[in-house]
């Protein structure tokens, strides 16, 4: 083994860099080259070390081999634990759902669901292809800020059944007829919580506002959005020809600042910050957006089909561990994007004033507040300070939940970590109607 170590290492390095090249340049046709950049660096580093290893003595090679083995074993042990824990939590949710409702939890995979839906509908869209998903694509020519238009759209499943809705003319989660009305009481901007995860109409926030107030509302939110995408969406899809009374800007403390840091690396999005008149004219470009997203869905389905044993492949690629590390480092991002967050809120507030629209900031709490201990309050204080300086009215749902003295877990699916459930969305809508005056 020691004798052939350098040859094995060299072969492995060539396979690794070939795999990265295949994924980046062939499967994704260079569209996600920025995403694969770090993997190019790692594979090139391995290739360089493999060449150097030919000039090392046997004892040094043995030490390197032992180091590599001792490094990989704990990594895969951690990955195995994360996979098992994920499956345990999934089974626990299924069991609780069946005990509470007596019904069967829909355990189909997204691929199985899409195939079933395509039998009934020629067109289908999957919200896993959200705007943030395309930040690292460099060959599009534009950045989509919504889904495909007038299409049956699959979202998520945390409450026992998948969310499926028909998108409007611009790919958002609205009844398309809402765009035909001259008056809009509430224009909503946010991420997956406001998009409608994981409930069907009329249990999402927008539909609840319409039902409770009997006034028209438009939802411009999408899964994975951060503050800069939300600013871009506001500028692109604000209905200038309509009378809009209130803009509701939702902020999710769990990841919005982290999402912002990713968004600031996208040149198209930065243009919305630096150029008041910048626009992609997405309203007039919806056909091209639809075409692009449908092409991406076909690629995604082909990828899902090719990965017949997806769990094993993900485990070999340390998928859960990489996801855990990425999320861990996202949590405490503060000062990097504070000044940019200030600019975004200032621009958005001035945009609202220019169009004679009330502007409200809705603060949504991180689920970790209720499912973990010792939550860090720093970002909460930072964000509220920025809004006070800008004199932007705040509707603090964190505070409202605390003052309600309701068990916070009642707001979440089956009392488990996730997005708000029907009760949670109804609670938020009622507080907005009470406080946005």
């Amino acid at each position: 083994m020691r004798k052939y170590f350098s040859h094995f290492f060299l072969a492995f390095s060539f396979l690794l860099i070939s795999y990265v090249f295949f994924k980046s340049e062939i499967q994704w046709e260079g569209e996600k080259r920025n995403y694969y950049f770090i993997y190019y660096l790692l594979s090139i580093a391995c290739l360089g070390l493999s060449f150097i290893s030919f000039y090392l003595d046997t004892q040094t090679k043995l030490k390197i081999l032992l180091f590599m083995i001792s490094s990989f074993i704990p990594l895969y042990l951690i990955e195995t634990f994360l996979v098992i824990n994920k499956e345990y939590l999934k089974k626990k949710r299924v069991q609780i759902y069946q005990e509470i409702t007596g019904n069967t939890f829909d355990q189909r995979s997204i691929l199985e669901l899409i195939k079933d839906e395509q039998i009934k509908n020629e067109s289908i869209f999957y919200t896993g292809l959200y705007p943030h998903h395309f930040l690292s694509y460099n060959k599009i020519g534009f950045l989509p800020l919504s889904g495909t238009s007038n299409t049956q759209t699959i979202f998520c499943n945390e409450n026992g059944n998948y969310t499926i809705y028909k998108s409007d003319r611009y790919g958002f989660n609205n009844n398309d007829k809402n765009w035909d009305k001259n008056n809009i009481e509430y224009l909503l901007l946010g991420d997956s919580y406001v998009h409608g995860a994981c409930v069907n109409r009329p249990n999402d926030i927008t539909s609840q506002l319409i039902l409770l107030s009997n006034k028209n509302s438009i939802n411009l939110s999408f899964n994975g959005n951060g503050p800069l995408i939300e600013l871009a969406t506001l500028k692109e899809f604000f209905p200038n020809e309509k009378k809009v009374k209130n803009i509701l800007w939702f902020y999710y403390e769990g990841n919005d600042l982290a999402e912002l840091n990713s968004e600031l690396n996208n040149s198209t999005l930065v243009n919305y910050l630096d150029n008041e008149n910048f626009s992609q004219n997405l309203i007039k470009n919806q056909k091209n957006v639809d075409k692009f997203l449908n092409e991406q869905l076909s690629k995604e389905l082909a990828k899902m089909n090719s990965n017949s044993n997806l769990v094993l492949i993900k485990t070999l690629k340390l998928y859960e561990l990489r996801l855990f590390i990425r999320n861990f480092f996202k949590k405490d991002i503060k000062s990097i994007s504070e000044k940019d967050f200030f600019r975004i809120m200032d621009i958005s507030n001035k945009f609202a004033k220019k169009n004679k629209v009330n502007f409200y900031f809705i603060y949504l709490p991180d689920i970790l507040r209720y499912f973990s201990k010792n939550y860090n309050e720093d970002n909460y204080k930072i964000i509220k300070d920025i809004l006070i300086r800008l004199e932007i009215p705040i509707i603090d749902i964190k505070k409202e939940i605390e003052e309600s003295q309701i068990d916070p877990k009642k707001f979440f699916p089956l009392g488990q970590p996730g997005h708000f459930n029907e009760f949670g969305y109804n609670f938020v809508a009622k507080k907005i109607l009470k406080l946005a005056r």
Side-chain angles (χ1 to χ4, degrees):
M1 181 67 181
R2 284 175 287 173
K3 181 179 178 181
Y4 299 106
F5 170 75
S6 296
H7 296 87
F8 281 122
F9 194 10
L10 180 61
F12 170 79
S13 300
F14 270 118
L15 286 173
L16 181 60
I17 198 169
S18 298
Y19 178 73
V20 173
F21 178 83
F22 169 77
K23 295 285 289 186
S24 175
E25 310 304 326
I26 298 177
Q27 186 173 47
W28 291 107
E29 298 177 351
E31 292 172 343
K32 298 184 70 175
R33 195 172 292 130
N34 292 342
Y35 172 82
Y36 284 102
F37 178 73
I38 184 66
Y39 298 106
Y40 270 121
L41 290 180
L42 289 173
S43 58
I44 290 171
C46 282
L47 187 61
L49 288 173
S50 67
F51 281 117
I52 293 173
S53 69
F54 280 96
Y55 300 96
L56 300 176
D57 59 75
T58 303
Q59 195 66 24
T60 303
K61 289 181 181 180
L62 179 60
K63 290 179 180 179
I64 294 174
L65 178 60
L66 291 174
F67 173 77
M68 292 176 66
I69 293 173
S70 61
S71 298
F72 274 99
I73 289 176
L75 290 178
Y76 278 104
L77 286 175
I78 296 172
E79 174 71 14
T80 303
F81 168 77
L82 292 173
V83 171
I84 292 173
N85 185 60
K86 186 175 183 179
E87 286 301 309
Y88 167 76
L89 293 175
K90 180 180 177 181
K91 289 179 180 179
K92 183 179 179 181
R93 187 186 296 271
V94 170
Q95 183 181 357
I96 292 172
Y97 175 80
Q98 292 174 345
E99 289 175 354
I100 293 176
T101 67
N103 298 322
T104 301
F105 196 104
D106 189 346
Q107 297 189 62
R108 287 177 295 174
S109 67
I110 286 293
L111 180 60
E112 291 169 336
L113 178 62
I114 289 175
K115 287 181 177 179
D116 291 343
E117 287 297 314
Q118 284 180 329
I119 294 173
K120 299 182 290 185
N121 304 283
E122 290 185 3
S123 59
I124 195 79
F125 182 67
Y126 168 45
T127 52
L129 301 176
Y130 44 91
H132 212 274
H133 179 83
F134 300 110
L135 291 185
S136 61
Y137 283 46
N138 52 18
K139 291 174 59 178
I140 306 176
F142 60 89
L143 178 65
L145 296 176
S146 61
T148 56
S149 62
N150 302 308
T151 302
Q152 287 296 109
T153 303
I154 296 170
F155 202 166
C156 53
N157 178 11
E158 294 176 348
N159 293 284
N161 296 286
Y162 277 97
T163 299
I164 301 177
Y165 64 87
K166 185 173 182 181
S167 61
D168 64 20
R169 65 193 67 178
Y170 303 123
F172 294 106
N173 184 5
N174 295 295
N175 184 327
D176 191 65
K177 293 180 180 179
N178 293 358
W179 286 98
D180 297 327
K181 300 176 182 179
N182 291 322
N183 295 320
I184 299 173
E185 185 73 12
Y186 300 107
L187 189 71
L188 289 77
L189 293 152
D191 65 358
S192 53
Y193 277 81
V194 198
H195 185 173
C198 293
V199 298
N200 285 303
R201 299 179 198 154
N203 296 306
D204 59 289
I205 296 174
T206 308
S207 299
Q208 285 294 297
L209 287 172
I210 294 171
L211 285 173
L212 295 171
S213 69
N214 199 30
K215 294 178 180 178
N216 189 31
S217 297
I218 293 289
N219 184 7
L220 297 181
S221 309
F222 217 88
N223 180 33
N225 282 4
L228 188 48
I229 286 182
E230 287 158 19
L231 172 63
T233 303
L234 175 62
K235 287 189 171 185
E236 289 288 343
F237 294 97
F238 184 82
N240 292 293
E241 73 285 359
K242 312 286 185 183
K243 181 174 176 55
V244 180
K245 185 175 180 181
N246 302 291
I247 292 174
L248 304 179
W249 183 293
F250 289 78
Y251 171 87
Y252 175 61
E253 70 174 349
N255 56 26
D256 267 20
L257 286 184
E259 304 294 5
L260 174 55
N261 276 276
S262 300
E263 293 167 355
L264 288 167
N265 292 319
N266 183 277
S267 58
T268 299
L269 288 177
V270 171
N271 283 328
Y272 289 99
L273 262 182
D274 297 336
N275 185 348
E276 182 180 354
N277 299 314
F278 177 77
S279 174
Q280 298 184 79
N281 295 312
L282 292 179
I283 284 181
K284 297 179 181 179
N285 203 25
Q286 188 62 42
K287 287 184 178 179
N288 288 331
V289 172
D290 288 350
K291 179 182 177 182
F292 169 75
L293 291 176
N294 285 325
E295 289 172 352
Q296 295 305 309
L297 179 61
S298 296
K299 290 182 180 180
E300 190 71 18
L301 292 179
K303 180 181 174 183
M304 290 180 182
N305 274 312
S306 64
N307 294 337
S308 56
N309 197 341
L310 194 58
V311 175
L312 177 58
I313 292 172
K314 283 186 172 182
T315 301
L316 290 173
K317 293 164 64 175
L318 298 172
Y319 175 83
E320 295 296 337
L321 178 58
R322 289 186 292 120
L323 183 63
F324 175 82
I325 293 172
R326 188 161 61 244
N327 290 336
F328 177 81
F329 282 107
K330 276 185 176 183
K331 288 298 177 185
D332 292 321
I333 294 175
K334 302 170 190 172
S335 58
I336 297 174
S337 53
E338 275 180 54
K339 65 180 187 304
D340 298 294
F341 182 79
F342 183 97
R343 286 183 65 199
I344 290 169
M345 298 317 303
D346 187 33
I347 292 170
S348 302
N349 191 32
K350 289 176 178 176
F351 180 92
K353 288 180 179 179
K354 180 180 178 181
N355 288 279
K356 298 180 180 180
V357 179
N358 299 321
F359 188 86
Y360 292 94
F361 185 94
I362 294 88
Y363 194 102
L364 298 178
D366 185 355
I367 58 171
L368 290 182
R369 284 186 174 275
Y370 312 114
F371 294 94
S372 66
K373 298 179 181 179
N374 303 318
Y375 190 84
N376 190 329
E377 291 283 344
D378 289 351
N379 280 350
Y380 178 68
K381 296 172 184 176
I382 290 168
I383 297 302
K384 293 200 73 171
D385 178 65
I386 289 173
L387 297 169
I388 290 169
R389 283 155 55 197
L390 291 171
E391 299 182 345
I392 296 174
I394 308 169
I395 298 176
D396 190 344
I397 300 302
K398 176 191 105 56
K399 179 182 175 182
E400 295 298 325
I401 290 176
E402 291 172 355
E403 293 182 349
S404 72
Q405 295 186 336
I406 300 171
D407 180 0
K409 292 185 179 180
K410 187 177 179 181
F411 293 83
F412 298 96
L414 308 172
Q416 302 297 307
H419 297 83
F420 284 143
N421 56 19
E422 295 177 6
F423 176 81
Y425 288 130
N426 175 266
F427 179 89
V428 173
K430 286 181 177 179
K431 292 302 177 183
I432 290 171
L433 292 176
K434 179 182 177 182
L435 300 171
R437 297 180 181 276

